[in-house]
Amino acid sequence: MRAVVYKSTGSWYLLKAEDGKIYNSRIKGKFRLKDIKSTNPVSVGDHVEIDTETKGDETIGIIKEIYDRKNYIIRKSVNLSKQTHIIAANIDLAFLLVTYNNPPTSTTFIDRFLVTAEAYHIPTVLLFNKVDDYSVEEFAEMKYLAELYRKIGYTCIGISAETGENLDQVKALMKDNVSVFAGHSGVGKSTLVNAIEPNLNIKTSEISLQHKQGQHTTTFAEMHELHFGGQIIDTPGIRGFGVVDIDKYALDNYFPEFFKVKSNCKFNNCIHVDEPQCAVKEALTEDKITYSRYKSYLQIMEGDEDENFRKDPYQDLR
């Protein structure tokens, strides 16, 4: 019987099967060891094949096969550098929540997420949350940042999960799709899910004033049904975002503004670092490519980790 993974707690999985029933399920025997390098071989959003078995009054599911994924969001595992962690799978649309200073979202973090989404063919919308909570100066900075990404081609929406501002636009995009909300802890993912689907009543938490960081309230990724059609996957807060297995000669494909001009480079294998007559660097000097994006490109190229999420996210834009 076919089923979809709605929640993963590491060893047990909550599935919704094609018969409409919910099954608490586990992985079959040695399945975990079968050529899987991820810390979580089964992810929320996965389509799986299950058997069922009844013990006493409970019928549980036994996951025996994962169907091919159309896409997934993946990052380096936090504690195990040689392994990866799949955040969610089979996604129609990703929403990355961005906040200015409560907590700060760095351009480095945004770019790393977008590169991964581009690499795995996941359309992404940037949601600039908490617009009701900014000073005039902060609001202007957010508008500038949104315009930067709009020019690249990304949809950007200023929202307030607290007041409901522009949530109608978000719901229209989510309708009949499998969507995922991602971002740092404290950016308002769970508050936004509650605003869109109030009956879920997902736990939320205050920002740590000392570090302006969120406190993890979503421990595991979980999929929820939407009354207007579709599903939403709420994910745990992500502090850093390690990009996985992208060849340096292909990296520019995942920066749309780089891809647009790179055919004009003198060398076909130009990686836009030291090569002469590089169209990407020329676009950089002409302000057609922003320095923050080029800096993110170099950091990913050099394999640097995303450790700058506590710094001023707009220091390179000023």
Side-chain angles (χ1 to χ4, degrees):
M1 183 164 51
R2 192 165 180 140
V4 177
V5 179
Y6 269 55
K7 186 174 184 179
S8 165
T9 60
S11 55
W12 285 87
Y13 305 88
L14 199 66
L15 311 181
K16 184 175 183 180
E18 56 191 357
D19 63 2
K21 295 180 180 178
I22 303 296
Y23 293 94
N24 202 21
S25 306
R26 58 182 175 82
I27 292 176
K28 180 181 178 181
K30 297 180 180 179
F31 180 81
R32 180 180 294 273
L33 304 177
K34 185 183 176 183
D35 194 30
I36 295 175
K37 297 179 181 178
S38 172
T39 57
N40 58 327
V42 178
S43 169
V44 171
D46 271 331
H47 293 229
V48 298
E49 186 70 22
I50 65 168
D51 288 331
T52 59
E53 63 179 39
T54 301
K55 293 184 178 180
D57 296 331
E58 183 182 17
T59 299
I60 65 170
I62 308 297
I63 300 171
K64 62 179 186 178
E65 180 183 355
I66 303 176
Y67 289 102
D68 289 341
R69 298 165 172 139
K70 75 173 184 178
N71 59 34
Y72 49 90
I73 295 180
I74 190 170
R75 66 174 180 138
K76 290 180 182 177
S77 176
V78 174
N79 298 318
L80 300 167
S81 60
K82 293 184 179 180
Q83 288 193 292
T84 60
H85 180 79
I86 299 170
I87 297 171
N90 298 314
I91 300 156
D92 295 317
L93 190 60
F95 293 91
L96 181 64
L97 272 72
V98 176
T99 48
Y100 177 77
N101 61 3
N102 52 346
T105 304
S106 69
T107 52
T108 303
F109 179 85
I110 295 171
D111 294 337
R112 285 171 178 268
F113 187 93
L114 291 176
V115 164
T116 297
E118 292 280 352
Y120 290 90
H121 311 293
I122 302 169
T124 302
V125 173
L126 299 180
L127 299 180
F128 292 84
N129 193 20
K130 307 186 183 181
V131 295
D132 58 306
D133 196 36
Y134 295 133
S135 68
V136 173
E137 292 80 9
E138 290 170 342
F139 188 77
E141 297 248 26
M142 288 292 284
K143 286 191 69 175
Y144 174 77
L145 189 64
E147 189 58 29
L148 184 160
Y149 286 100
R150 282 196 189 100
K151 286 181 179 178
I152 296 169
Y154 292 104
T155 298
C156 300
I157 305 173
I159 66 166
S160 170
E162 291 288 347
T163 68
E165 183 173 346
N166 289 335
L167 294 196
D168 55 335
Q169 295 182 42
V170 179
K171 290 170 72 172
L173 292 170
M174 295 174 68
K175 182 174 170 57
D176 299 329
N177 285 319
V178 175
S179 305
V180 61
F181 285 164
H184 290 320
S185 296
V187 293
K189 297 185 303 296
S190 296
T191 301
L192 181 55
V193 174
N194 287 338
I196 289 170
E197 197 65 67
N199 292 333
L200 293 176
N201 196 29
I202 295 172
K203 182 181 177 183
T204 61
S205 163
E206 297 298 321
I207 296 289
S208 165
L209 295 178
Q210 182 178 1
H211 300 293
K212 291 190 176 180
Q213 291 176 245
Q215 301 171 54
H216 294 271
T217 51
T218 303
T219 307
F220 302 101
E222 184 170 3
M223 181 184 288
H224 305 282
E225 298 282 349
L226 299 170
H227 73 276
F228 52 85
Q231 294 84 28
I232 178 64
I233 301 174
D234 187 24
T235 64
I238 307 167
R239 287 192 174 180
F241 200 91
V243 175
V244 178
D245 294 336
I246 294 180
D247 184 85
K248 69 178 182 178
Y249 292 105
L251 179 59
D252 56 6
N253 293 334
Y254 310 125
F255 284 77
E257 70 273 43
F258 290 29
F259 183 77
K260 186 177 179 180
V261 302
K262 74 170 191 172
S263 61
N264 296 322
C265 291
K266 180 179 180 180
F267 300 105
N268 291 333
N269 62 346
C270 183
I271 58 172
H272 324 301
V273 179
D274 297 316
E275 299 87 345
Q277 298 181 41
C278 168
V280 169
K281 289 192 293 182
E282 287 175 9
L284 180 66
T285 61
E286 296 168 359
D287 291 329
K288 295 177 181 177
I289 290 175
T290 64
Y291 175 69
S292 65
R293 291 279 288 173
Y294 185 67
K295 179 183 177 184
S296 293
Y297 171 83
L298 292 180
Q299 286 182 337
I300 297 170
M301 172 77 66
E302 294 163 5
D304 290 349
E305 294 301 315
D306 176 15
E307 297 175 347
N308 300 316
F309 63 92
R310 292 181 184 172
K311 296 181 181 179
D312 179 357
Y314 307 103
Q315 61 186 350
D316 296 325
L317 301 177
R318 297 192 174 107

